[in-house]
Amino acid sequence: MTWAVGHVCELVPPEEYDPSLKKWSLDTLPILPEKFRHRVSPSKAKQFQVIKSLLMRPDIKEIVHAGDAGREGEYIVRIAVQLVGVNKPMKRLWISSLTPKAVEQGFMNLKGEEDTRSLYYEAVSRSCADWLVGMNGSRVYSLLFQRRGIREVFSTGRVQSPTLALIVAREKEIQNFKPEPFWELKAKFLINDTVYEGTWFREEQTRFASRDEAESVKRNCENKLASVNEIERERKEFQPPQLFNLSSLQAVANQIYKYSPQNCLNALQQLYLEGYISYPRSDSAYVTPEEARQFPEILSKLSRQESFKDFFPLPIQSIANNKRFVNAAIVSDHYAIIPTEVIPQIGRLKPEERNLYELIVKRLIAAHYDKAIIDYSRLITVVGDQETFLTKGRLIVQEGWRKVLYDSDSQEESEPDVLPPLEQGEPLHSIRVI
């Protein structure tokens, strides 16, 4: 058994196709190899020799490809085997968790290499596309800038260039933004012993450009009688949020803890290596039925943890048939990020690891809760038959999964939980601005 220390092989540079391409010139662009070739990365040559010596041994009759269960894992291992030049039968170990149980099950259910070969073709295509855009784009921009007296190398890329363009466009928006002061007018209304607040609006306008204008409307409203002009109530049902993939987890971690995407990924990688969570670089929010069948065991262990015991017993014992979370047809390389049956001593985790682990666990627990039901209200109060004020509120009818997530990763707007018991056409004398 040995490893590939990342990309042990790489696409060859242009000068290995044609020595004349070592010199940068617009006349030689674009560079389009008839057939792409790979070579051993110079910094990985020592490990490649280890791989080669094992693959060439006559007593080695079969290869088990145990790279990461994904496109890049396919690419890294298969290219190394190709450069060695052996043609031995290959099986594929496909696991998304490093717990002993998951590894054992993976070896008992090895795939044929043809089952994942298409992922290798995807990775080779992506790699060649990166090479074509990067090699040609970097040369042409660098050479054109040299004509303007800027003698530097400018790197371009299939992904980095459009991403940089988005960042530049956003930065220009920030730099060109001109802040302007504005004023809002809020009124408190008294009905019987209940006080509620409204914000002034007129058609689509909710702000005043000057303080004097706001003060003028304020004077027109003070101590005036008011009436309820319109009441709208709407009941909304919210299903539990889906399980985490990497991008959604990074977004929530940034919102709550201000973790950068890279810091989040580093902490997740450590949790994965310790066997506490499944593979973190996943773009799926679903699991397969096989993973769902393991949830009762995992949740049973989590129920004994001080951090989570208040959420048990669960209202829903199994989500195995819930396609919001369990759908094998949608899972591609990896399933959603979930806790494994290996439960850490949570108090001994580093703060970043503990916070992320708790987010992942709570998402799984919340999936076993009922939907949340909330009544939203929109109230328009008219003052002196002229000025209008808007009041929004909500009433939680059924807490459901919010019991688990409301304090952690709920992104709902903050609104009053209760509105006064008003009805449309409330008599003028019963409401007064205070």
Side-chain angles (χ1 to χ4, degrees):
M1 181 172 66
T2 191
W3 45 91
V5 290
H7 285 268
V8 73
C9 303
E10 62 186 11
L11 288 166
V12 303
E15 56 267 25
E16 290 201 19
Y17 294 108
D18 183 348
S20 66
L21 294 176
K22 189 169 185 178
K23 180 182 178 181
W24 289 24
S25 170
L26 291 175
D27 296 334
T28 60
L29 298 178
I31 303 169
L32 303 172
E34 291 185 10
K35 184 177 181 180
F36 283 96
R37 303 201 309 265
H38 288 80
R39 70 177 186 182
V40 178
S41 301
S43 62
K44 309 291 180 63
K46 183 177 179 181
Q47 181 58 25
F48 180 80
Q49 291 303 318
V50 175
I51 297 170
K52 182 176 181 179
S53 65
L54 290 173
L55 291 175
M56 296 291 289
R57 274 173 38 181
D59 59 320
I60 300 295
K61 305 298 183 184
E62 184 181 66
I63 302 168
V64 176
H65 178 336
D68 283 346
R71 191 172 68 180
E72 292 306 301
E74 286 293 315
Y75 181 53
I76 289 170
V77 173
R78 286 180 186 260
I79 288 295
V81 173
Q82 284 185 24
L83 284 189
V84 170
V86 297
N87 188 23
K88 298 180 179 181
M90 181 185 294
K91 295 290 181 61
R92 184 62 162 103
L93 175 68
W94 192 268
I95 57 175
S96 291
S97 172
L98 295 182
T99 65
K101 183 177 180 180
V103 175
E104 290 171 3
Q105 289 180 342
F107 272 103
M108 288 189 293
N109 297 279
L110 292 173
K111 296 176 178 286
E113 64 86 17
E114 66 279 0
D115 294 337
T116 58
R117 193 185 302 163
S118 60
L119 290 174
Y120 161 70
Y121 294 142
E122 286 184 32
V124 172
S125 300
R126 189 274 312 157
S127 180
C128 294
D130 287 347
W131 191 99
L132 288 170
V133 175
M135 289 296 180
N136 289 289
S138 298
R139 290 192 178 203
V140 71
Y141 275 105
S142 299
L143 291 169
L144 290 176
F145 274 117
Q146 284 181 15
R147 292 181 175 181
R148 300 188 180 190
I150 305 173
R151 305 193 65 81
E152 293 183 24
V153 174
F154 287 85
S155 174
T156 67
R158 181 182 60 89
V159 176
Q160 79 176 50
S161 294
T163 303
L164 180 59
L166 291 172
I167 295 171
V168 170
R170 180 60 177 160
E171 182 63 23
K172 286 182 177 179
E173 289 180 4
I174 295 171
Q175 291 177 354
N176 294 331
F177 175 74
K178 292 180 173 57
E180 297 178 356
F182 65 88
W183 285 261
E184 289 183 335
L185 180 62
K186 296 182 183 294
K188 290 184 178 180
F189 302 100
L190 174 64
I191 174 171
N192 299 327
D193 295 327
T194 302
V195 175
Y196 69 95
E197 187 177 273
T199 301
W200 176 89
F201 77 99
R202 181 180 296 162
E203 296 178 351
E204 298 298 322
Q205 180 183 352
T206 60
R207 298 172 175 179
F208 297 96
S210 70
R211 184 184 184 91
D212 290 342
E213 187 180 1
E215 290 285 358
S216 175
V217 175
K218 176 186 175 184
R219 287 191 295 270
N220 291 336
C221 293
E222 287 177 334
N223 298 314
K224 292 283 181 69
L225 295 176
S227 65
V228 176
N229 179 265
E230 182 181 332
I231 295 177
E232 295 180 0
R233 291 191 174 93
E234 181 182 9
R235 174 163 292 187
K236 292 185 178 181
E237 298 180 353
F238 299 90
Q239 298 296 330
Q242 291 183 296
L243 302 174
F244 280 123
N245 58 25
L246 177 58
S247 60
S248 64
L249 181 51
Q250 287 173 321
V252 170
N254 179 263
Q255 178 190 12
I256 299 174
Y257 302 113
K258 309 305 179 186
Y259 295 160
S260 71
Q262 188 59 52
N263 288 342
C264 179
L265 182 57
N266 292 342
L268 291 173
Q269 182 69 14
Q270 189 59 41
L271 289 170
Y272 169 65
L273 293 175
E274 296 290 341
Y276 301 141
I277 65 171
S278 61
Y279 188 73
R281 292 178 176 84
S282 173
D283 60 359
S284 176
Y286 299 86
V287 298
T288 66
E290 288 75 18
E291 280 72 52
R293 283 194 286 270
Q294 299 176 31
F295 286 165
E297 176 188 354
I298 295 170
L299 291 166
S300 176
K301 293 181 178 180
L302 290 170
S303 69
R304 296 190 285 271
Q305 297 293 312
E306 188 68 28
S307 302
F308 312 119
K309 67 179 184 180
D310 290 343
F311 303 128
F312 292 86
L314 300 174
I316 300 172
Q317 294 303 308
S318 174
I319 59 172
N321 296 319
N322 188 336
K323 288 194 174 294
R324 181 173 177 81
F325 307 104
V326 185
N327 193 331
I330 300 179
V331 177
S332 55
D333 295 352
H334 301 282
Y335 48 81
I337 304 174
I338 57 174
T340 69
E341 73 275 9
V342 178
I343 310 299
Q345 295 186 37
I346 298 176
R348 294 188 177 182
L349 295 175
K350 294 180 180 178
E352 295 89 349
E353 296 170 10
R354 181 176 66 251
N355 290 335
L356 291 171
Y357 183 75
E358 290 184 349
L359 286 177
I360 295 167
V361 168
K362 286 183 177 180
R363 272 292 173 102
L364 179 61
I365 293 175
H368 291 76
Y369 268 69
D370 296 312
K371 60 188 176 185
I373 303 175
I374 303 176
D375 283 346
Y376 288 90
S377 300
R378 185 176 181 270
L379 175 71
I380 295 178
T381 306
V382 180
V383 178
D385 294 328
Q386 184 176 1
E387 305 298 343
T388 52
F389 291 80
L390 176 63
T391 303
K392 293 181 179 181
R394 69 182 179 203
L395 178 65
I396 298 175
V397 180
Q398 177 173 294
E399 189 176 26
W401 58 266
R402 288 165 52 92
K403 175 183 177 181
V404 184
L405 294 183
Y406 182 70
D407 292 332
S408 59
D409 65 347
S410 173
Q411 302 177 31
E412 192 169 357
E413 294 181 3
S414 177
E415 295 176 350
D417 283 339
V418 180
L419 278 179
L422 300 174
E423 296 297 335
Q424 186 168 331
E426 193 80 34
L428 283 172
H429 66 271
S430 61
I431 303 178
R432 182 174 294 276
V433 182
I434 59 174

mmCIF file of all heavy atoms in Angstrom, residues 405-432:
data_model
loop_
_atom_site.group_PDB
_atom_site.id
_atom_site.type_symbol
_atom_site.label_atom_id
_atom_site.label_comp_id
_atom_site.label_asym_id
_atom_site.label_seq_id
_atom_site.Cartn_x
_atom_site.Cartn_y
_atom_site.Cartn_z
ATOM 1 N N LEU A 405 -32.496 24.450 15.152
ATOM 2 C CA LEU A 405 -31.616 25.310 14.358
ATOM 3 C C LEU A 405 -31.838 26.800 14.538
ATOM 4 O O LEU A 405 -31.025 27.589 14.054
ATOM 5 C CB LEU A 405 -31.779 24.985 12.867
ATOM 6 C CG LEU A 405 -31.328 23.606 12.412
ATOM 7 C CD1 LEU A 405 -31.482 23.475 10.910
ATOM 8 C CD2 LEU A 405 -29.882 23.353 12.805
ATOM 9 N N TYR A 406 -32.902 27.221 15.176
ATOM 10 C CA TYR A 406 -33.212 28.653 15.187
ATOM 11 C C TYR A 406 -32.093 29.480 15.786
ATOM 12 O O TYR A 406 -31.773 30.571 15.306
ATOM 13 C CB TYR A 406 -34.497 28.922 15.959
ATOM 14 C CG TYR A 406 -34.885 30.380 15.964
ATOM 15 C CD1 TYR A 406 -35.341 30.991 14.798
ATOM 16 C CD2 TYR A 406 -34.778 31.149 17.110
ATOM 17 C CE1 TYR A 406 -35.687 32.323 14.783
ATOM 18 C CE2 TYR A 406 -35.122 32.485 17.099
ATOM 19 C CZ TYR A 406 -35.581 33.071 15.941
ATOM 20 O OH TYR A 406 -35.914 34.396 15.923
ATOM 21 N N ASP A 407 -31.427 28.984 16.808
ATOM 22 C CA ASP A 407 -30.363 29.750 17.456
ATOM 23 C C ASP A 407 -29.021 29.593 16.771
ATOM 24 O O ASP A 407 -28.072 30.275 17.115
ATOM 25 C CB ASP A 407 -30.215 29.330 18.927
ATOM 26 C CG ASP A 407 -31.428 29.742 19.751
ATOM 27 O OD1 ASP A 407 -32.059 30.745 19.378
ATOM 28 O OD2 ASP A 407 -31.734 29.050 20.733
ATOM 29 N N SER A 408 -28.911 28.648 15.806
ATOM 30 C CA SER A 408 -27.596 28.410 15.215
ATOM 31 C C SER A 408 -27.513 28.905 13.789
ATOM 32 O O SER A 408 -26.829 29.880 13.504
ATOM 33 C CB SER A 408 -27.241 26.912 15.277
ATOM 34 O OG SER A 408 -28.215 26.151 14.591
ATOM 35 N N ASP A 409 -28.261 28.286 12.875
ATOM 36 C CA ASP A 409 -28.074 28.684 11.479
ATOM 37 C C ASP A 409 -29.348 29.162 10.821
ATOM 38 O O ASP A 409 -29.471 29.164 9.612
ATOM 39 C CB ASP A 409 -27.451 27.549 10.661
ATOM 40 C CG ASP A 409 -28.353 26.338 10.538
ATOM 41 O OD1 ASP A 409 -29.344 26.272 11.268
ATOM 42 O OD2 ASP A 409 -28.064 25.464 9.712
ATOM 43 N N SER A 410 -30.331 29.610 11.620
ATOM 44 C CA SER A 410 -31.513 30.201 11.022
ATOM 45 C C SER A 410 -31.157 31.547 10.424
ATOM 46 O O SER A 410 -30.466 32.352 11.028
ATOM 47 C CB SER A 410 -32.613 30.384 12.079
ATOM 48 O OG SER A 410 -33.694 31.095 11.539
ATOM 49 N N GLN A 411 -31.618 31.792 9.195
ATOM 50 C CA GLN A 411 -31.329 33.037 8.511
ATOM 51 C C GLN A 411 -32.589 33.884 8.351
ATOM 52 O O GLN A 411 -32.661 34.774 7.526
ATOM 53 C CB GLN A 411 -30.713 32.740 7.141
ATOM 54 C CG GLN A 411 -29.452 31.919 7.240
ATOM 55 C CD GLN A 411 -28.900 31.582 5.880
ATOM 56 O OE1 GLN A 411 -29.050 32.325 4.924
ATOM 57 N NE2 GLN A 411 -28.254 30.451 5.774
ATOM 58 N N GLU A 412 -33.593 33.622 9.167
ATOM 59 C CA GLU A 412 -34.862 34.299 9.014
ATOM 60 C C GLU A 412 -34.766 35.730 9.526
ATOM 61 O O GLU A 412 -34.039 36.031 10.475
ATOM 62 C CB GLU A 412 -35.930 33.532 9.800
ATOM 63 C CG GLU A 412 -37.332 33.981 9.488
ATOM 64 C CD GLU A 412 -38.336 33.022 10.082
ATOM 65 O OE1 GLU A 412 -37.918 32.023 10.665
ATOM 66 O OE2 GLU A 412 -39.529 33.286 9.967
ATOM 67 N N GLU A 413 -35.511 36.626 8.896
ATOM 68 C CA GLU A 413 -35.526 38.010 9.326
ATOM 69 C C GLU A 413 -36.131 38.119 10.713
ATOM 70 O O GLU A 413 -37.018 37.379 11.097
ATOM 71 C CB GLU A 413 -36.345 38.857 8.349
ATOM 72 C CG GLU A 413 -35.732 38.959 6.969
ATOM 73 C CD GLU A 413 -36.561 39.831 6.051
ATOM 74 O OE1 GLU A 413 -37.573 40.390 6.517
ATOM 75 O OE2 GLU A 413 -36.196 39.949 4.880
ATOM 76 N N SER A 414 -35.618 39.097 11.467
ATOM 77 C CA SER A 414 -36.128 39.320 12.812
ATOM 78 C C SER A 414 -37.355 40.205 12.743
ATOM 79 O O SER A 414 -37.304 41.333 12.270
ATOM 80 C CB SER A 414 -35.037 39.968 13.674
ATOM 81 O OG SER A 414 -35.540 40.246 14.962
ATOM 82 N N GLU A 415 -38.490 39.713 13.204
ATOM 83 C CA GLU A 415 -39.725 40.468 13.230
ATOM 84 C C GLU A 415 -40.428 40.214 14.556
ATOM 85 O O GLU A 415 -40.172 39.209 15.223
ATOM 86 C CB GLU A 415 -40.637 40.051 12.064
ATOM 87 C CG GLU A 415 -40.075 40.386 10.696
ATOM 88 C CD GLU A 415 -40.961 39.872 9.582
ATOM 89 O OE1 GLU A 415 -41.889 39.104 9.890
ATOM 90 O OE2 GLU A 415 -40.715 40.221 8.424
ATOM 91 N N PRO A 416 -41.319 41.116 14.958
ATOM 92 C CA PRO A 416 -42.057 40.884 16.197
ATOM 93 C C PRO A 416 -42.805 39.570 16.144
ATOM 94 O O PRO A 416 -43.327 39.184 15.094
ATOM 95 C CB PRO A 416 -43.020 42.086 16.256
ATOM 96 C CG PRO A 416 -42.417 43.118 15.367
ATOM 97 C CD PRO A 416 -41.682 42.368 14.305
ATOM 98 N N ASP A 417 -42.878 38.889 17.267
ATOM 99 C CA ASP A 417 -43.555 37.603 17.294
ATOM 100 C C ASP A 417 -45.066 37.743 17.424
ATOM 101 O O ASP A 417 -45.804 36.816 17.143
ATOM 102 C CB ASP A 417 -43.022 36.752 18.456
ATOM 103 C CG ASP A 417 -41.672 36.154 18.123
ATOM 104 O OD1 ASP A 417 -41.356 36.066 16.935
ATOM 105 O OD2 ASP A 417 -40.942 35.795 19.052
ATOM 106 N N VAL A 418 -45.551 38.905 17.865
ATOM 107 C CA VAL A 418 -46.983 39.055 18.102
ATOM 108 C C VAL A 418 -47.436 40.415 17.590
ATOM 109 O O VAL A 418 -46.755 41.421 17.787
ATOM 110 C CB VAL A 418 -47.311 38.931 19.604
ATOM 111 C CG1 VAL A 418 -48.811 39.082 19.824
ATOM 112 C CG2 VAL A 418 -46.841 37.610 20.163
ATOM 113 N N LEU A 419 -48.584 40.460 16.933
ATOM 114 C CA LEU A 419 -49.225 41.708 16.540
ATOM 115 C C LEU A 419 -50.469 41.914 17.401
ATOM 116 O O LEU A 419 -51.072 40.945 17.883
ATOM 117 C CB LEU A 419 -49.612 41.668 15.066
ATOM 118 C CG LEU A 419 -48.518 41.996 14.052
ATOM 119 C CD1 LEU A 419 -49.069 41.874 12.647
ATOM 120 C CD2 LEU A 419 -47.948 43.372 14.276
ATOM 121 N N PRO A 420 -50.892 43.162 17.563
ATOM 122 C CA PRO A 420 -52.097 43.405 18.356
ATOM 123 C C PRO A 420 -53.327 42.792 17.695
ATOM 124 O O PRO A 420 -53.386 42.651 16.469
ATOM 125 C CB PRO A 420 -52.193 44.938 18.387
ATOM 126 C CG PRO A 420 -51.424 45.395 17.200
ATOM 127 C CD PRO A 420 -50.302 44.406 17.044
ATOM 128 N N PRO A 421 -54.344 42.456 18.480
ATOM 129 C CA PRO A 421 -55.551 41.806 17.929
ATOM 130 C C PRO A 421 -56.447 42.826 17.235
ATOM 131 O O PRO A 421 -57.537 43.148 17.701
ATOM 132 C CB PRO A 421 -56.204 41.212 19.176
ATOM 133 C CG PRO A 421 -55.797 42.146 20.282
ATOM 134 C CD PRO A 421 -54.403 42.593 19.946
ATOM 135 N N LEU A 422 -55.975 43.330 16.085
ATOM 136 C CA LEU A 422 -56.712 44.349 15.357
ATOM 137 C C LEU A 422 -57.469 43.734 14.197
ATOM 138 O O LEU A 422 -57.081 42.697 13.662
ATOM 139 C CB LEU A 422 -55.760 45.428 14.829
ATOM 140 C CG LEU A 422 -54.953 46.191 15.889
ATOM 141 C CD1 LEU A 422 -53.963 47.104 15.196
ATOM 142 C CD2 LEU A 422 -55.866 46.985 16.797
ATOM 143 N N GLU A 423 -58.515 44.428 13.776
ATOM 144 C CA GLU A 423 -59.269 44.013 12.607
ATOM 145 C C GLU A 423 -59.388 45.193 11.657
ATOM 146 O O GLU A 423 -59.331 46.359 12.070
ATOM 147 C CB GLU A 423 -60.672 43.524 13.007
ATOM 148 C CG GLU A 423 -60.679 42.278 13.885
ATOM 149 C CD GLU A 423 -60.092 41.059 13.203
ATOM 150 O OE1 GLU A 423 -60.097 41.000 11.953
ATOM 151 O OE2 GLU A 423 -59.633 40.147 13.919
ATOM 152 N N GLN A 424 -59.521 44.910 10.384
ATOM 153 C CA GLN A 424 -59.645 45.960 9.388
ATOM 154 C C GLN A 424 -60.870 46.837 9.694
ATOM 155 O O GLN A 424 -61.930 46.339 10.049
ATOM 156 C CB GLN A 424 -59.763 45.355 7.994
ATOM 157 C CG GLN A 424 -59.745 46.390 6.877
ATOM 158 C CD GLN A 424 -59.570 45.747 5.532
ATOM 159 O OE1 GLN A 424 -58.957 44.692 5.443
ATOM 160 N NE2 GLN A 424 -60.090 46.370 4.502
ATOM 161 N N GLY A 425 -60.684 48.171 9.557
ATOM 162 C CA GLY A 425 -61.775 49.092 9.827
ATOM 163 C C GLY A 425 -61.946 49.386 11.309
ATOM 164 O O GLY A 425 -63.019 49.808 11.745
ATOM 165 N N GLU A 426 -60.925 49.162 12.091
ATOM 166 C CA GLU A 426 -60.984 49.471 13.526
ATOM 167 C C GLU A 426 -61.443 50.924 13.703
ATOM 168 O O GLU A 426 -60.959 51.816 12.998
ATOM 169 C CB GLU A 426 -59.593 49.274 14.139
ATOM 170 C CG GLU A 426 -59.568 49.247 15.654
ATOM 171 C CD GLU A 426 -59.979 47.889 16.210
ATOM 172 O OE1 GLU A 426 -59.678 46.869 15.565
ATOM 173 O OE2 GLU A 426 -60.602 47.865 17.272
ATOM 174 N N PRO A 427 -62.350 51.209 14.608
ATOM 175 C CA PRO A 427 -62.877 52.583 14.777
ATOM 176 C C PRO A 427 -61.764 53.604 14.991
ATOM 177 O O PRO A 427 -60.785 53.328 15.681
ATOM 178 C CB PRO A 427 -63.778 52.461 16.011
ATOM 179 C CG PRO A 427 -64.190 51.022 16.037
ATOM 180 C CD PRO A 427 -63.017 50.255 15.500
ATOM 181 N N LEU A 428 -61.946 54.779 14.424
ATOM 182 C CA LEU A 428 -60.907 55.801 14.471
ATOM 183 C C LEU A 428 -60.530 56.178 15.894
ATOM 184 O O LEU A 428 -59.376 56.441 16.187
ATOM 185 C CB LEU A 428 -61.390 57.051 13.715
ATOM 186 C CG LEU A 428 -61.355 56.980 12.189
ATOM 187 C CD1 LEU A 428 -62.034 58.194 11.590
ATOM 188 C CD2 LEU A 428 -59.926 56.913 11.699
ATOM 189 N N HIS A 429 -61.503 56.232 16.780
ATOM 190 C CA HIS A 429 -61.203 56.744 18.110
ATOM 191 C C HIS A 429 -60.391 55.766 18.949
ATOM 192 O O HIS A 429 -59.935 56.137 20.029
ATOM 193 C CB HIS A 429 -62.495 57.086 18.835
ATOM 194 C CG HIS A 429 -63.323 55.871 19.125
ATOM 195 N ND1 HIS A 429 -64.267 55.378 18.228
ATOM 196 C CD2 HIS A 429 -63.362 55.035 20.204
ATOM 197 C CE1 HIS A 429 -64.849 54.307 18.747
ATOM 198 N NE2 HIS A 429 -64.308 54.065 19.956
ATOM 199 N N SER A 430 -60.208 54.513 18.499
ATOM 200 C CA SER A 430 -59.597 53.520 19.371
ATOM 201 C C SER A 430 -58.088 53.427 19.197
ATOM 202 O O SER A 430 -57.415 52.712 19.933
ATOM 203 C CB SER A 430 -60.220 52.135 19.113
ATOM 204 O OG SER A 430 -59.982 51.743 17.771
ATOM 205 N N ILE A 431 -57.489 54.078 18.183
ATOM 206 C CA ILE A 431 -56.053 54.016 17.969
ATOM 207 C C ILE A 431 -55.518 55.439 17.953
ATOM 208 O O ILE A 431 -56.085 56.323 17.305
ATOM 209 C CB ILE A 431 -55.691 53.322 16.631
ATOM 210 C CG1 ILE A 431 -56.291 51.918 16.588
ATOM 211 C CG2 ILE A 431 -54.170 53.245 16.475
ATOM 212 C CD1 ILE A 431 -56.024 51.201 15.297
ATOM 213 N N ARG A 432 -54.442 55.669 18.669
ATOM 214 C CA ARG A 432 -53.850 57.004 18.712
ATOM 215 C C ARG A 432 -52.344 56.893 18.576
ATOM 216 O O ARG A 432 -51.736 55.985 19.117
ATOM 217 C CB ARG A 432 -54.199 57.697 20.026
ATOM 218 C CG ARG A 432 -53.661 59.122 20.131
ATOM 219 C CD ARG A 432 -54.147 59.810 21.378
ATOM 220 N NE ARG A 432 -55.601 60.031 21.344
ATOM 221 C CZ ARG A 432 -56.178 61.075 20.735
ATOM 222 N NH1 ARG A 432 -55.411 61.971 20.118
ATOM 223 N NH2 ARG A 432 -57.482 61.215 20.747
#
